[in-house]
């Protein structure tokens, strides 16, 4: 079966969606040369004026996209690095997320914001952060963070077709992943998670690159006789809490995993939300970055970032098998 | 300008003025008016900058711009219902008078944090170009928005891409408690734009014929040869910034000096010069006063919204 990388699949998806819908525009920095990572490669050749290379002016780019969306277009903004979304938090959270509500018109506002995110080793603290948690907190936005390579392109198609302002955050480490071309990739459904590994003893909830780390951890735990279920949330807002609760009803234990700092993160919100739904406290642990600033030094950065070993250890602790993980933290009880 | 057109502009200006005066009277009676900012003194710049536009042209209004909205075709009734957060306006109690919008009239609304309007204008100008339409964008802004970075980004884009955006600076002397000269070199909001090698004009913002003429010329030029322009209208905020502001920082002499250049009385004298009978002007004044009073009363007596949907 032929293969393509996630990067190529995303590029193909942009092309296919733009062919199907002439109202789709792409705008952002360096997009004529392929954008930050190559996702917009060659689009200028086919779509001409529908691909708008902009000055490095994030505020005006996002504002212009808002104008284009109100005017009936379906803009896709490329943000050069997801960290830079903090420079346009006003446009995203104060303008796009609130626009329909305060103008009294709950009509469509189809804006897709996409770009590379996450740590790859040594890019430094302003080009490595996972920023989904900041936007997760703001009502009025959809936040998509694909984790399984095969879901990236279908989730991008769904994000573009969505009539809401949608952030589609691409972890840099997913770009080179190869996946088979099945010819059956339709758009995914936003707001749906997926059980990517069945298990019985604990539910690991992850998104973005942490899905891969969680699957590695689950494989290793299985060798030690611990059976973990792994959920790829795919979309953090809206979030498929039903799937998490359904899984918890079988496993009884919850482990959340995120690349960003644990403090104030999405993991804590998942724990709180499912506890409310279940009406009781549940055995849980959170894995995430400690309160650190990413280092430019790749080895130091790797120590800071959560990985499969951290997930594995946390799972042993959660399931009262602390001795298996040579854990530095004691067992839960 | 022919008398008939000036009479039309006068009626719009007067409606805006009477609406402000009615609001001020109600405030004196203790009636709450959410987010009310008076536009008294700026009616010529408001009406003269919006009246020359087509419906399909985009106009981005400012927060005290009742005359702007009226001149672009919004009814006073909609403005009043939005003002008092009632149903039946343009945003159904969700955005107050700060977010009046009628996209079908070329009024997309406005942002809550000053500054988004500039890139928004670029976006609409791009949309007009992609639609192969010769529509233009007028982007009004005051001292506060004009001091924010997005204007500089958007201006660069508009020049780079030769977009038909008229950046219309409303220099009303004040940014809340801060005089314009503390914010912009030489107290002029447009001086810096001369460096972009684009047409920049500073005009009398209290003379509606002059405003109308300059804006009409600018937009017709942009239709023929796209590319941004700047017009800075010199006017004055005669009322306090917002209803709870005592304006103690504003000098009485300065206010009185600008009152002698009140755009309403100035237009009345021009109508007289053009031979419009005094009686007809008085008829207009009576009709406008009656319409404003009735509309405001209707808005106040419209039932409050009861639903609390998300």
């Amino acid at each position: 079966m032929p293969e393509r990388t996630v990067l190529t699949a995303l590029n193909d998806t942009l092309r296919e969606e733009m062919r199907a819908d002439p109202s789709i525009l792409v705008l952002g920095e360096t997009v004529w040369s392929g954008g930050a990572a190559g996702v917009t490669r060659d689009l200028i050749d086919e779509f001409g004026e529908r691909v708008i290379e902009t000055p490095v002016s994030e505020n005006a780019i996002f504002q212009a996209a808002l104008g284009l969306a109100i005017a009936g277009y379906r803009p896709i903004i490329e943000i050069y690095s997801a960290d830079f979304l903090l420079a346009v938090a006003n446009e995203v959270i104060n303008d796009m997320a609130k626009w329909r509500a305060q103008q009294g018109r709950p009509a469509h506002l189809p804006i897709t914001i996409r770009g590379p995110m996450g740590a790859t080793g040594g890019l430094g603290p302003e080009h490595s952060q996972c920023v989904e948690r900041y936007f997760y907190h703001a009502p009025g936005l959809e936040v998509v963070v694909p984790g399984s390579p095969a879901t990236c392109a279908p989730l991008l198609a769904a994000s573009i077709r969505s009539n809401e302002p949608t952030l589609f955050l691409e972890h840099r480490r997913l770009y080179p992943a190869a996946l088979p071309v099945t010819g059956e990739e339709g758009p995914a459904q936003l707001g749906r998670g997926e059980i990517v590994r069945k298990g019985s003893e604990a539910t690991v909830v992850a998104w973005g690159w942490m899905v891969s780390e969680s699957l590695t951890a689950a494989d290793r735990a299985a060798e030690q006789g611990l059976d973990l279920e792994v959920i790829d949330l795919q979309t953090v807002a809206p979030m498929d809490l039903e799937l998490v609760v359904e899984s918890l009803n079988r496993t009884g234990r919850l482990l959340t995993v995120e690349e960003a700092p644990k403090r104030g993160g999405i993991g804590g919100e998942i724990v709180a939300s499912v506890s409310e739904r279940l009406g009781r406290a549940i055995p849980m642990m959170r894995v995430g970055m400690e309160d650190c600033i990413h280092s430019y030094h790749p080895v130091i950065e790797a120590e800071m970032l959560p990985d499969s070993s951290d997930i594995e250890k946390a799972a042993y602790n959660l399931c009262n098998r602390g001795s298996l993980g040579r854990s530095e933290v004691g067992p839960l009880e | 300008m022919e008398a008939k057109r000036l009479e039309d502009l006068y009626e719009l200006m007067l409606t805006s003025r009477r609406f402000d005066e009615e609001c001020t009277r109600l405030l004196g009676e203790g009636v709450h008016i959410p987010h009310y900012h008076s536009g008294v003194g700026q009616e010529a710049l408001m009406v003269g900058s919006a009246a020359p536009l087509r419906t399909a042209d985009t106009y981005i209004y400012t927060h005290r711009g009742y005359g702007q909205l009226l001149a672009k075709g919004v009814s006073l009734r909609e403005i009043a219902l939005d003002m008092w957060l009632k149903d039946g306006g343009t945003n159904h109690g969700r955005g107050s008078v700060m977010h009046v919008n009628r996209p079908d009239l070329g009024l997309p609304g406005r942002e809550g944090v000053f500054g988004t309007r500039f890139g928004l204008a670029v976006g609409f100008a791009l949309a007009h170009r992609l639609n192969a339409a010769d529509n233009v964008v007028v982007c009004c802004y005051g001292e506060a928005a004009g001091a924010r970075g997005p204007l500089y980004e958007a201006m660069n884009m508009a020049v780079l891409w030769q977009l038909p955006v008229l950046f219309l600076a409303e220099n009303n002397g004040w940014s809340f408690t801060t005089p314009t000269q503390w914010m912009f070199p030489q107290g002029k909001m447009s001086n810096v734009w001369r460096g972009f090698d684009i047409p920049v004009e500073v005009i009398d913002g209290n003379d509606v014929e002059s405003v109308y003429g300059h804006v009409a010329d600018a937009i017709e030029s942009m239709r023929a040869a796209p590319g941004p322009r700047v017009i800075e209208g010199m006017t004055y905020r005669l009322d306090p910034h917002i209803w709870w502001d005592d304006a103690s920082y504003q000098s009485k002499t300065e206010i009185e000096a600008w009152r002698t250049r009140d755009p309403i009385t100035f237009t009345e004298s021009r109508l007289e010069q053009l031979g419009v009978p005094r009686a007809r002007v008085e008829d207009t004044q009576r009709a406008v006063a009656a319409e404003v009073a009735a509309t405001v009363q209707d808005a106040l007596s419209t039932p409050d919204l009861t639903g609390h949907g998300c």
Side-chain angles (χ1 to χ4, degrees):
Chain A
M1 190 174 283
E3 286 194 340
R4 60 178 177 173
T5 61
V6 166
L7 183 72
T8 307
L10 294 175
N11 178 243
D12 290 346
T13 299
L14 287 179
R15 188 174 294 104
E16 288 155 15
E17 295 299 313
M18 290 184 82
R19 281 177 187 160
D21 182 349
S23 74
I24 296 174
L25 310 171
V26 165
L27 66 164
E29 297 154 14
T30 74
V31 294
W32 284 351
S33 331
V39 176
T40 65
R41 197 162 45 210
D42 299 336
L43 296 178
I44 179 64
D45 300 335
E46 182 169 345
F47 301 106
E49 65 176 7
R50 291 170 60 197
V51 182
I52 303 166
E53 172 148 333
T54 65
V56 180
S57 302
E58 283 82 5
N59 298 95
I61 296 168
F62 278 63
Q63 296 167 4
L66 177 60
L68 287 161
I70 301 167
Y73 284 92
R74 195 171 274 270
I76 303 172
I77 310 169
E78 166 154 324
I79 187 81
Y80 198 81
S81 180
D83 310 69
F84 306 169
L85 286 171
L86 300 180
V88 285
N90 182 54
E91 283 74 11
V92 177
I93 294 174
N94 280 327
D95 294 325
M96 293 175 182
K98 297 178 173 62
W99 194 266
R100 290 160 302 160
Q102 65 189 4
Q103 314 285 328
R105 291 173 198 278
H108 302 163
L109 195 62
I111 302 170
T112 305
I113 299 161
R114 54 147 295 276
M117 181 173 84
T120 52
L123 284 179
E126 314 87 354
H127 295 73
S128 302
Q129 302 164 87
C130 285
V131 299
E132 66 273 18
R133 64 205 183 116
Y134 299 115
F135 299 95
Y136 170 74
H137 188 67
L141 299 172
E142 293 176 332
V143 184
V144 184
V145 193
S148 308
T151 65
C152 291
L155 283 167
L156 177 59
S159 300
I160 295 168
R161 294 185 196 188
S162 165
N163 291 320
E164 318 279 321
T166 303
L167 280 82
F168 182 85
L169 302 168
E170 304 156 5
H171 201 288
R172 292 180 172 87
R173 294 179 73 173
L174 284 168
Y175 287 139
L179 54 145
V181 178
T182 63
E184 292 165 5
E185 300 98 339
Q189 187 175 343
L190 302 187
R192 285 262 177 93
E194 187 184 353
I195 296 170
V196 289
R197 187 187 206 284
K198 288 294 277 185
S200 59
E201 294 182 81
T203 299
V204 182
V205 178
W207 57 96
W209 178 251
M210 288 298 117
V211 173
S212 299
E213 297 289 338
S214 298
L215 287 170
T216 305
D219 284 346
R220 287 209 297 262
E223 291 166 14
Q224 303 291 332
L226 179 65
D227 188 24
L228 299 175
E229 178 145 306
V230 179
I231 290 178
D232 173 2
L233 275 184
Q234 301 184 3
T235 310
V236 297
M239 187 181 287
D240 193 351
L241 279 177
E242 285 71 22
L243 183 67
V244 179
V245 168
E246 182 274 318
S247 173
L248 277 176
N249 279 332
R250 288 184 282 104
T251 66
R253 295 185 185 91
L254 174 62
L255 177 61
T256 66
V257 185
E258 62 199 300
E259 183 170 313
K262 192 160 68 176
R263 181 174 65 170
I266 297 174
E269 179 60 28
I270 295 172
V271 170
S273 296
V274 297
S275 298
E276 279 176 346
R277 291 208 183 189
L278 292 167
R280 60 184 162 83
I282 41 168
M284 52 69 54
M285 287 198 81
R286 294 175 297 158
V287 170
M289 196 163 140
E290 295 305 323
D291 287 340
C292 295
I293 307 294
H294 292 260
S295 174
Y296 277 95
H297 191 298
V299 177
I300 298 174
E301 184 189 46
E303 287 171 1
M304 297 172 172
L305 291 171
D307 62 14
S308 58
S309 300
D310 300 313
I311 299 165
E312 194 186 351
K313 280 180 207 167
Y316 295 146
N317 281 319
L318 176 64
C319 300
N320 299 321
R321 300 195 208 171
S323 59
L324 283 176
R326 300 169 302 281
S327 172
E328 291 136 25
V329 252
L332 205 62
E333 293 169 355
Chain B
M1 181 179 287
E2 59 175 282
K4 178 70 186 74
R5 172 164 285 167
L6 188 58
E7 282 188 85
D8 291 344
L9 299 180
Y10 173 69
E11 186 173 340
L12 291 165
M13 290 166 62
L14 195 63
T15 307
S16 186
R17 173 66 61 91
R18 291 283 174 268
F19 183 60
D20 272 323
E21 289 173 346
E22 185 67 1
C23 288
T24 302
R25 188 184 69 76
L26 288 166
L27 286 169
E29 291 180 1
V31 175
H32 180 51
I33 312 183
H35 303 281
Y36 170 61
H37 297 74
S38 167
V40 165
Q42 301 179 214
E43 294 87 351
L45 191 54
M46 292 180 189
V47 169
S49 63
L53 297 182
R54 301 172 182 161
T55 300
D57 291 328
T58 306
Y59 189 93
I60 303 178
Y61 84 109
T62 46
H63 56 288
R64 53 183 93 248
Y66 314 113
Q68 301 173 329
L69 297 168
L70 293 166
K72 199 71 173 70
V74 183
S75 69
L76 185 65
R77 182 173 180 279
E78 289 172 295
I79 298 170
L81 290 167
D82 280 346
M83 179 85 91
W84 277 285
L85 309 173
K86 303 290 176 74
D87 208 355
T90 72
N91 60 49
H92 318 295
R94 301 299 293 268
S96 86
V97 78
M98 307 300 279
H99 298 283
V100 179
N101 66 104
R102 281 287 303 273
D104 57 316
L105 295 176
L107 282 165
R110 56 176 292 283
E111 76 280 46
V113 180
F114 292 136
T116 294
R117 57 187 52 237
F118 304 113
L120 203 64
V122 164
F124 275 97
L126 284 169
H128 292 321
R129 174 169 294 175
L130 288 162
N131 295 340
D134 65 351
N135 300 324
V136 301
V137 182
V138 174
C139 179
C140 301
Y141 68 99
E143 284 86 349
R148 294 207 60 231
L151 173 53
Y152 298 75
E153 294 187 349
M155 186 69 78
N156 183 55
M157 285 179 177
V159 175
L160 177 69
W161 297 329
Q162 287 296 291
L163 296 173
V165 181
L166 172 60
F167 292 93
L168 194 123
E170 301 172 342
N171 185 334
N172 70 0
W174 291 89
S175 177
F176 197 171
T177 59
T178 306
T180 310
Q181 62 265 29
W182 292 2
M183 296 179 71
F184 297 92
Q186 294 88 44
K188 288 286 188 302
M189 295 165 68
S190 60
N191 279 1
V192 66
W193 306 127
R194 297 183 192 280
F196 277 79
D197 198 19
I198 56 174
V200 176
E201 296 174 279
V202 180
I203 66 169
D204 179 354
N206 278 11
D207 175 351
V208 72
E209 291 172 274
S210 166
V211 175
Y212 186 100
H214 280 94
V215 171
D217 287 350
I219 61 182
E220 290 319 314
S221 303
M222 292 195 303
R223 289 196 214 285
R229 288 165 170 263
V230 176
I231 292 180
E232 176 172 10
M234 303 304 292
T235 183
Y236 194 77
R237 194 193 78 204
L238 288 171
D239 273 354
H241 165 68
I242 191 169
W243 63 270
W244 46 262
D245 173 24
D246 69 1
S248 53
Y249 49 86
Q250 243 169 321
S251 114
K252 299 287 173 283
T253 346
E254 186 179 90
I255 297 174
E256 287 317 311
W258 277 92
R259 271 198 206 289
T260 63
R261 307 200 48 244
D262 185 314
I264 302 288
T265 48
F266 182 75
T267 308
E268 285 164 358
S269 62
R270 280 291 297 147
L271 287 169
E272 195 178 337
Q273 283 171 19
L274 291 171
V276 177
R278 179 85 203 142
R280 204 155 83 207
V281 174
E282 287 169 358
D283 283 349
T284 303
Q285 290 169 343
R286 273 189 293 272
V288 166
E291 187 213 347
V292 168
T295 306
V296 168
Q297 206 45 56
D298 271 1
L300 285 170
S301 56
T302 298
D304 267 331
L305 284 163
T306 50
H308 297 285
C310 186

